Amino acid sequence: MTNFASRALKIEEQKLSLLDQTLLPHEERWLLMDSEEDLIEAIQSLRVRGAPLIGVAAAVFLQLQKDAGLKPEKLNSMALKIREARPTAVNLMICVDQFLSGVSGEQILFEDVDLCNKIGIHGAKVIEPGDNVLTHCNTGGLATVGIGTALGVIETAHKQNKKIHVFVDETRPLLQGGRLTAWELGKSNIPYTLTCDNMAGTLMRSGRVQKILVGADRIAQNGDFANKVGTYSVAVLARHHNVPFYVCAPYTTIDLKISQGEEIEIEMRKKEEVHGITGALGSYLWAPKDSPVFNPAFDVTPSELVTGYILDNGLFTREEFLKAFKK
Ligand code: MRU
């Protein structure tokens, strides 16, 4: 494969390295993916994360193994293990399946860059000069190999000099907004304000949010979609306050095999993430150690709450989405 470098994925001399996102924003450490165990561990611990990026990382890793001469049987069983590393983002399954059906890892990689650019161009059309845009989780260059999905739209609108400002949900419990989106917006010099997740209602009520843009981990045929937990609450608030709510995603996030959101498997994570903060930044547990915990990594937002879908092939209203994808 040719050498390549994006914000979170590098290919150098036929080796894949990934930026350890659990250490951001304070440390930028790259990890060499020497084995399938390395990659699976990186995906499960969210060192590499974001629906498109985990799909591309898997495809690139498999391509490198193939190029190094790994036998088809072994490659196949490796691919199936990696495919199951996380259950919710369908990009992982779709990219591994594309690879197994003969699409090269390199093609999957460069396609993602292109898909992000297209989403950015379509999405920037809904952004008006001076808009305050609220976003949840992280959907930028750290979640893709391109400019991102929702954050790619923000990036594109900013480059078009639309003078936007972004409200960044912190995104409990793993703080993808506070740690990652804030870091990315800072790098691009896009004005932003960080807020805790439970402040979104107050912001909307006071009329300070004109648009909401989020990404997705899996979109069903009927337009219901899974995204980082908390997205559903934002969508309900948006409806109540009449704020347009857009989902931004490439076709690799659309699961044509499922008809509705209830069919999406939601990843459940460990209790320590809710008991306090735990991970590479250190550990501090503030809740009683034996507190029972509910910790789904994602939630499902019904399509009725979506104003529009910003996809790589255009902007779709809910009705247009249903026409295009519902069987
Ligand atoms: O658990 P994460 O950090 O992988 O969750 C990521 C999200 O929910 C993103 O919003 C989604 O993957 C879209 S990324 C372009």
Side-chain angles (χ1 to χ4, degrees):
M1 291 188 82
T2 48
N3 284 351
F4 175 87
S6 69
R7 196 160 263 176
L9 180 150
K10 266 198 293 209
I11 305 167
E12 272 169 353
E13 293 169 15
Q14 308 309 313
K15 291 269 181 204
L16 171 66
S17 299
L18 299 169
L19 184 63
D20 184 348
Q21 298 191 31
T22 63
L23 299 173
L24 290 175
H26 304 301
E27 189 185 337
E28 294 178 35
R29 189 190 298 167
W30 288 85
L31 305 168
L32 202 57
M33 295 295 113
D34 270 329
S35 65
E36 75 191 80
E37 287 79 21
D38 286 351
L39 181 62
I40 290 170
E41 191 280 331
I43 292 173
Q44 291 177 342
S45 60
L46 271 60
R47 298 184 202 287
V48 55
R49 46 146 302 279
L53 182 60
I54 59 175
V56 172
V60 166
F61 179 80
L62 290 166
Q63 184 65 48
L64 292 169
Q65 308 313 304
K66 186 178 179 183
D67 294 350
L70 192 70
K71 298 246 157 51
E73 246 170 59
K74 282 210 164 151
L75 194 63
N76 218 53
S77 70
M78 185 184 271
L80 296 180
K81 266 201 221 154
I82 294 171
R83 194 182 185 279
E84 286 178 4
R86 280 187 93 185
T88 305
V90 76
N91 305 62
L92 179 60
M93 294 92 186
I94 289 183
C95 289
V96 168
D97 293 346
Q98 284 180 336
F99 171 79
L100 289 175
S101 70
V103 185
S104 75
E106 187 145 333
Q107 205 173 319
I108 292 167
L109 171 83
F110 287 109
E111 187 186 42
D112 187 61
V113 176
D114 185 48
L115 295 172
C116 290
N117 289 336
K118 288 177 172 154
I119 292 167
I121 290 164
H122 298 308
K125 292 181 193 145
V126 309
I127 306 292
E128 284 156 63
D131 270 356
N132 290 281
V133 180
L134 184 139
T135 192
H136 192 73
C137 196
N138 172 268
T139 59
L142 291 171
T144 64
V145 279
I147 57 170
T149 58
L151 218 55
V153 172
I154 288 167
E155 185 91 39
T156 308
H158 173 74
K159 285 214 173 109
Q160 292 173 351
N161 208 20
K162 290 204 171 166
K163 308 245 179 287
I164 54 173
H165 164 268
V166 185
F167 285 112
V168 178
D169 276 358
E170 174 184 51
T171 319
R172 268 289 287 160
L174 295 178
L175 309 174
Q176 287 92 334
R179 295 186 304 104
L180 310 178
T181 301
W183 183 75
E184 291 208 73
L185 289 170
K187 272 193 180 283
S188 299
N189 283 317
I190 301 175
Y192 72 90
T193 303
L194 186 58
T195 66
C196 296
D197 300 349
N198 51 6
M199 296 164 189
T202 288
L203 277 177
M204 287 187 225
R205 186 153 194 241
S206 61
R208 280 187 275 183
V209 181
Q210 284 74 48
K211 300 277 158 35
I212 295 167
L213 298 179
V214 297
D217 286 80
R218 191 186 294 228
I219 309 178
Q221 276 174 30
N222 73 342
D224 295 351
F225 73 99
N227 192 47
K228 178 54 54 196
V229 67
T231 302
Y232 171 59
S233 320
V234 173
V236 172
L237 284 167
R239 175 55 51 94
H240 184 75
H241 295 288
N242 217 5
V243 180
F245 177 94
Y246 292 95
V247 186
C248 312
Y251 80 91
T252 47
T253 304
I254 303 174
D255 188 349
L256 294 172
K257 291 190 186 138
I258 61 166
S259 56
Q260 54 180 344
E262 269 99 275
E263 293 166 61
I264 302 174
E265 184 182 340
I266 300 295
E267 174 187 356
M268 299 301 292
R269 295 188 62 87
K270 57 185 183 192
K271 58 184 186 327
E272 287 79 6
E273 293 174 355
V274 179
H275 277 161
I277 190 85
T278 177
L281 297 174
S283 241
Y284 186 83
L285 305 183
W286 51 73
K289 268 192 185 148
D290 54 356
S291 306
V293 157
F294 174 61
N295 187 16
F298 303 95
D299 58 24
V300 173
T301 300
S303 64
E304 298 90 86
L305 297 177
V306 177
T307 309
Y309 297 83
I310 300 170
L311 308 179
D312 50 275
N313 60 341
L315 174 64
F316 293 70
T317 61
R318 178 175 179 240
E319 291 65 36
E320 287 165 344
F321 185 95
L322 291 175
K323 229 186 203 172
F325 298 103
K326 185 114 183 81
K327 284 184 194 147

